[in-house]
Structures are given as C-alpha cells and as structure tokens.
Amino acid sequence: MTITPEFRPAPGDLEEHEFLVNMGPQHPSTHGVLRVILRVDGERLVDAIPDIGFLHRCFEKVAEGWTYQQVVPLTDRLDYVSAMTNELAYVMAVEKLAGIEVPERAQWLRVLVAELQRIASHLVWFGTFALDLGATTPFLYAIREREHILDLFEALCGARLTYSYMRIGGVRGDLPPGFVGKTREFLKLMPSRLREYENLFMKNRIFENRTKGIGRVTAEEAVAYGASGPTLRGSGVDWDLRRDEPYAAYDRFEFGVPVGQSGDVYDRAVCRFKEMYESLKIIEQVLDGLPEGDVRAKVPRVLKPPAGDVYTRVESPRGEVGVYLVSDGGPKPYRVKWRAPSFAHLRLLPVMAKGHMVADIVAIIGSIDIILGEVDR
Amino acid sequence: MHNLTSLLTGFWSFICGLWVTLVNTVRPPVTFQYPEKYYVPLEGFRGYPALVVDPETGETKCNGCQACARACPLGVIHIETAQREDKKRYPVEWRLEFGRCMVCNLCVEACPFGALTMSPEYEFAEYRPEDLVYTLGNLKLPPEGFEVRRLDGSTVRTGLAGGGRG
Ligand code: SF4
Ligand code: SF4
C-alpha cells in the first residue's frame, strides 16, 4: 500500500474532507504489530486498509530446511495464543503423508488439549476484547481463569505458551499425576465463572450498544472471503470442522455449535463466548471415557514420507488452520504452506469497517480475534 | 414507555455487573509475590537442557554420541569428546548456546542414554550475552536435584540420575 498524494489535503485547501489516519503499528488494540490505514471522512470510516508483515519470520521457508520432527516446535510460534491446535494441524498433515496410525488414547488426549486450548484462547480474546471496548475488569478475571489451564499445561508438557507437546505419531507424554482431578475442578468452577462474565460484560448495556449492528458481514461475503470459525458462524453459516469433517477423535463426542444470525460484532462475540461452554462439555466427555493404551506410535527417527502432497485442516479457536505439505521423499518437507484463519479475516476488515465510526474499528478488530503471529507467519 | 423499560433494563445490567465486581472483591487474591517468594515449578517444567550427574562418580552419563546435537533444530549444542583408558568416550566440552535455545525438549527426547534432562530452574538473567553460553561446568545438575511441585499438591525431587521424563 502506498500513500498517494491525492489523499493529502493541498496546502490551504480547507474543503478537503477525507484524510488518512494511521492506526498502529504500535497500538494497544491491534493485538500485535498491525498497521491499519484508515481513510476517514470526519468521524466516519471510508476505508480501512490493513498493512501487514511486521512480524514476518519466514516460517514456510525455515520449515523447508528442518526435518519433519523439528518443525513441530516452530508451529507453536505462529498462533502463539493457541499453540496446541497449530501443532495438531501440522502433525496430522505429516501423519497423513506418511500413513502413520495414531493410538486411540493419543487421539483423545489431542482433543483434550485442543479444547483446553480453545478455552484458554477464548479467555484471552474475551479479556482483550473487553479491554478494547474500555472495560478493564473482565481482562483480569479472564487471565485469572486462564491460569488454571496454563498450570495444567505446565504440568503436562513443561511450558506455558510454546508447548511442543504434539509429536508425529501421538503426543509427547501421558497425563501427569493429578491432572484429571485438577481438570475436573476446573470444569466445576468454569461454568459459574462464565456466567459471571455474562453478567459483568456480555449482558451489559454499554457492550450491547457498542457492538450491535456494527461491522456486519453477510453470510455470502463471509464465505466469499474465506472466513471460518466464529467469524463465519457469527454470520449464520453453520459450519464447524470438528463436527462436519471430524479429525482426531471428535466424532466420538456430543457438542453443539453456536451460530449467530446477523454477522455483527455482537453475534461473533456471543458465538465465541458460547463455544467455551461447548468445549467444557467435550472435555468432560474426554475425561469420562479416556481409553487406556499407548500415547505415541513407533515412528522412525529419520522420517521420510513418500513423495506427494496433502492438505489437512483443523478448527482452531480462530477458524480453519490448514496445512499444505509437499514431500519429495526426503527427510525435510519440500514445501509447507500455512493457511491462517486470521489472514482471511483481516481481509474482511475493510468490508466490516466501511461506514462506521472511528471508535468502532477497535470493536471490529477485537471481534475477529486476529493474532498477528499467524497473519504474518 | 419503551424508553423507560430500556432505561430500567440497562440500569439492571449495571447492577448485575457491579454485583460481580463486589463478589470478586472478597475472593482471595491469586497473584504471587514472585521475587519475594520463590515460585516452585511443576514437575517436568522446561527450564534449560542440562546434564544428569551420576552420584557415584560425579560424572555425566553422556558419552558424546551427538544424537542431541543432531536433533536440535537450531544447532546450538556443540560437543567434543575424548576417549578414556577403558575405551569409553566422554565429553570434554559440552556447550549450549542457551541464548538461542528455544527449550523445545527435542534434544532430551533424542538422548538414548538418559543423560539429558530439563532443569526446572528459570532465573537466567545475565549481564553479558557470553554468559548465556553454558559449558560443561554449569550444565551439570546438582546431584541432590531440585524440588518441584505436582498438581496433586505433593512435592518431589527431579534432576536426579535415572530421572528425566522424556
Ligand atoms: S531444547 Fe530444543 S533448541 Fe534447545 S538445545 Fe534442545 S533441541 Fe536445541
Ligand atoms: S544424546 Fe545424550 S549421550 Fe549423546 S551426546 Fe547428547 S547428551 Fe550425550
């Protein structure tokens, strides 16, 4: 994007109405390093052009130089708020390519951590979204509850953010002692806390007034722009990969998929929020029926999948994470293409923002829950 | 009439919110006074890759097979070995450029002899970047290990010879 001189008011020309405002790259509500070029007419947004690439770390090129196993910790760094689902998407691609059978228990554990991760990620979203709209308190409460999940993850894999837990052919280790008990405690605590958040924020009149009717996307637009996850479902498209194209062990569980109607900020927020209840249901079912057995299949140390290509996709908290993997038969991937949901959603930003007030852009960015580490890769 | 209901429901939503805040005011704090109190990590916490010491000989179990160095995605492990009289190899230099290490655990899993484990220490601050290159001297874990927590509330010691959760 280049800023052409025509947007600049000529000296002494007081009749010029449109002008450019830079939001970011350093801005508290862009959730990372994102610059949005706003064309405003007074307080109204004429256009909002996202300018990305500040966090580019050459993930796809770096992955070509590493072996299949070594790329797993690298995928943690893409969507760092939801590292588990990234790893899951990647290891599933390698397993499909190499034809590796994953033990049943490992599949269940993958669902368990993916759903815990979804709640943790949505809690971060909830907190920062509220913060963007000017409510400081929900952020502190959400981070407090997220701490329970991070403690579980710390005991499970030794890290609190970049887990490096999934392995090709399974997961790294079995549940540590006390994990199931602590998770059950969390399951008991969380619904009441979610209801508190509802009373505090989601049912608050100021929140409703600031989000209803803002940033509307029709179902056709959402599909056309490749939206997925809560951004798509908020527009009324009933599509969830966990249910419609089950991977790992998702076909064993009963859960609902919250769908919105109008596709505005409010509906997207409510969809995301209700998903936490559904994730709690899945976690409960996993703990009830966790099968015994191995957690990791035997995989050769130097893995050489046959030449070919695969595409796998999983439902991350933000939407559809897709991995396109090409192998030339060697120990290193020939090409890794990462399909990041936030990238597609960011393209919707101009559609959503048009015609709204400058203050609404913050609510709109918050509602699509972008992670810049994933957008720029 | 519509305005009045809207006013009342809006007012009620604020009361609900304030009630939540009030409830949370009387809950005990969850924050931890870190530098004053030492946070005991959970078992399996990944601090940095370190060498397990055999309590009898005071030596590491490493025989310099380089499996960890090959497994490391970033190539931050450098090992030089020598041969003892009994033909066994031992590392004369075991260097970890910790400043670049991403603590991914791949080296620990790669070690076929259980010589590597993750130290649960987490205070790494140094004044000079050179000090973040760890050598054999400061990579050896203390033979008495570290105290770590478990989720069920008990405490155990890790970092002992024979330990090391892959
Ligand atoms: S933890 Fe990972 S990055 Fe660090 S030395 Fe081991 S393999 Fe290399
Ligand atoms: S893999 Fe284990 S035994 Fe081999 S060099 Fe590394 S630490 Fe030593």
Side-chain angles (χ1 to χ4, degrees):
Chain A
M1 163 77 201
T2 50
I3 301 166
T4 48
E6 66 195 271
F7 292 150
R8 244 181 252 149
D13 179 10
L14 295 177
E15 292 305 300
E16 185 71 59
H17 290 305
E18 280 183 13
F19 65 103
L20 292 179
V21 180
N22 267 317
M23 180 179 169
Q26 274 85 35
H27 190 281
S29 58
T30 51
H31 300 251
V33 199
L34 166 72
R35 171 176 172 228
V36 186
I37 302 163
L38 305 176
R39 256 176 78 194
V40 292
D41 178 6
E43 272 286 305
R44 292 231 165 253
L45 289 165
V46 181
D47 207 353
I49 305 143
D51 181 14
I52 60 168
F54 294 96
L55 275 181
H56 183 58
R57 287 150 300 164
C58 290
F59 161 75
E60 293 176 3
K61 192 68 199 168
V62 170
E64 288 169 22
W66 290 7
T67 65
Y68 286 97
Q69 283 94 339
Q70 288 176 341
V71 178
V72 175
L74 194 57
T75 57
D76 282 340
R77 273 98 184 145
L78 299 171
D79 180 354
Y80 39 77
V81 179
S82 163
M84 286 289 189
T85 43
N86 287 329
E87 291 174 12
L88 180 56
Y90 173 75
V91 295
M92 271 170 52
V94 181
E95 282 153 10
K96 199 164 154 193
L97 196 59
I100 296 167
E101 273 298 315
V102 182
E104 183 71 6
R105 186 176 171 85
Q107 297 279 32
W108 284 59
L109 289 181
R110 283 178 178 186
V111 173
L112 176 65
V113 293
E115 290 309 313
L116 281 172
Q117 181 75 89
R118 190 179 313 275
I119 297 176
S121 168
H122 281 352
L123 283 174
V124 173
W125 159 79
F126 172 74
T128 50
F129 182 50
L131 210 53
D132 288 349
L133 293 175
T136 329
T137 325
F139 177 74
L140 302 174
Y141 295 170
I143 292 296
R144 178 187 64 194
E145 262 68 84
R146 176 172 173 256
E147 201 64 13
H148 290 269
I149 302 177
L150 293 194
D151 272 348
L152 291 174
F153 281 160
E154 185 186 334
L156 185 65
C157 51
R160 298 167 71 84
L161 198 66
T162 46
Y163 306 111
S164 180
Y165 180 62
M166 305 274 174
R167 289 288 179 268
I168 295 160
V171 294
R172 201 186 108 203
D174 212 332
L175 299 180
F179 187 92
V180 175
K182 269 274 183 259
T183 315
R184 285 209 193 273
E185 263 174 45
F186 173 73
L187 288 181
K188 227 160 72 231
L189 171 87
M190 204 54 203
S192 68
R193 292 291 160 92
L194 286 177
R195 270 190 291 280
E196 271 185 16
Y197 300 163
E198 275 177 8
N199 282 335
L200 180 67
F201 188 66
M202 302 301 282
K203 287 184 186 154
N204 188 289
R205 175 58 59 86
I206 301 175
F207 169 71
E208 287 179 358
N209 284 356
R210 280 212 59 186
T211 53
K212 276 193 174 155
I214 304 290
R216 196 163 266 171
V217 185
T218 62
E220 291 76 40
E221 275 169 343
V223 173
Y225 277 81
S228 50
T231 310
L232 180 68
R233 292 193 284 274
S235 295
V237 184
D238 193 1
W239 172 254
D240 188 323
L241 286 174
R242 291 175 292 165
R243 185 197 58 200
D244 301 321
E245 206 179 85
Y247 53 92
Y250 274 111
D251 45 356
R252 320 317 189 258
F253 308 116
E254 297 272 318
F255 58 95
V257 177
V259 179
Q261 283 171 341
S262 58
D264 56 4
V265 171
Y266 181 78
D267 273 21
R268 282 195 289 278
V270 169
C271 270
R272 250 180 241 281
F273 195 84
K274 284 192 185 149
E275 265 183 25
M276 288 197 259
Y277 287 109
E278 303 302 328
S279 294
L280 288 173
K281 275 187 214 160
I282 300 179
I283 296 169
E284 188 146 28
Q285 293 171 49
V286 175
L287 291 183
D288 286 342
L290 196 60
E292 293 298 318
D294 274 348
V295 294
R296 199 164 166 183
K298 285 254 173 300
V299 177
R301 220 159 240 218
V302 182
L303 184 65
K304 286 188 181 166
D309 58 343
V310 287
Y311 181 75
T312 51
R313 47 188 188 169
V314 304
E315 182 85 19
S316 95
R318 267 152 276 282
E320 177 185 323
V321 167
V323 183
Y324 177 63
L325 197 64
V326 185
S327 160
D328 58 356
K332 293 172 181 173
Y334 180 73
R335 175 88 173 90
V336 184
K337 165 82 183 84
W338 203 266
R339 187 244 183 240
S342 300
F343 184 76
H345 296 160
L346 208 51
R347 287 305 305 144
L348 270 169
L349 191 61
V351 180
M352 291 173 177
K354 222 156 269 178
H356 290 295
M357 303 296 236
V358 172
D360 294 332
I361 187 93
V362 173
I364 293 170
I365 295 179
S367 77
I368 52 177
D369 192 16
I370 44 167
I371 294 294
L372 268 297
E374 179 183 61
V375 175
D376 297 339
R377 299 192 282 284
Chain B
M1 193 59 218
H2 172 256
N3 275 350
L4 190 67
T5 17
S6 151
L7 188 74
L8 285 177
T9 50
F11 192 66
W12 178 243
S13 81
F14 296 145
I15 300 285
C16 290
L18 285 174
W19 174 249
V20 173
T21 328
L22 193 71
V23 167
N24 277 288
T25 325
V26 294
R27 283 205 179 119
V30 291
T31 41
F32 189 85
Q33 302 300 328
Y34 159 58
E36 278 88 48
K37 280 201 259 166
Y38 185 79
Y39 173 79
V40 182
L42 287 157
E43 189 188 9
F45 178 78
R46 308 205 305 259
Y48 62 89
L51 291 162
V52 182
V53 172
D54 191 336
E56 278 160 28
T57 58
E59 292 295 319
T60 68
K61 292 209 249 165
C62 173
N63 67 359
C65 71
Q66 307 274 356
C68 52
R70 270 196 303 274
C72 176
L74 305 171
V76 296
I77 300 176
H78 310 278
I79 304 163
E80 283 161 34
T81 56
Q83 212 164 29
R84 260 196 297 253
E85 297 89 69
D86 57 356
K87 291 269 183 315
K88 267 169 99 182
R89 298 198 78 86
Y90 69 100
V92 278
E93 186 53 305
W94 211 106
R95 205 147 43 83
L96 171 74
E97 292 172 48
F98 183 60
R100 283 173 58 212
C101 168
M102 59 177 171
V103 205
C104 64
N105 207 51
L106 290 184
C107 50
V108 175
E109 278 161 65
C111 180
F113 304 101
L116 263 185
T117 186
M118 278 289 174
S119 160
E121 287 169 294
Y122 55 82
E123 287 167 331
F124 306 125
E126 297 283 359
Y127 283 105
R128 294 174 307 163
E130 309 84 275
D131 292 342
L132 280 173
V133 178
Y134 293 175
T135 49
L136 199 53
N138 43 17
L139 276 174
K140 282 187 190 166
L141 285 176
E144 72 275 9
F146 293 96
E147 191 171 67
V148 286
R149 281 185 303 137
R150 277 193 171 159
L151 276 181
D152 52 16
S154 56
T155 53
V156 283
R157 297 200 87 82
T158 54
L160 309 166
R165 193 169 133 237

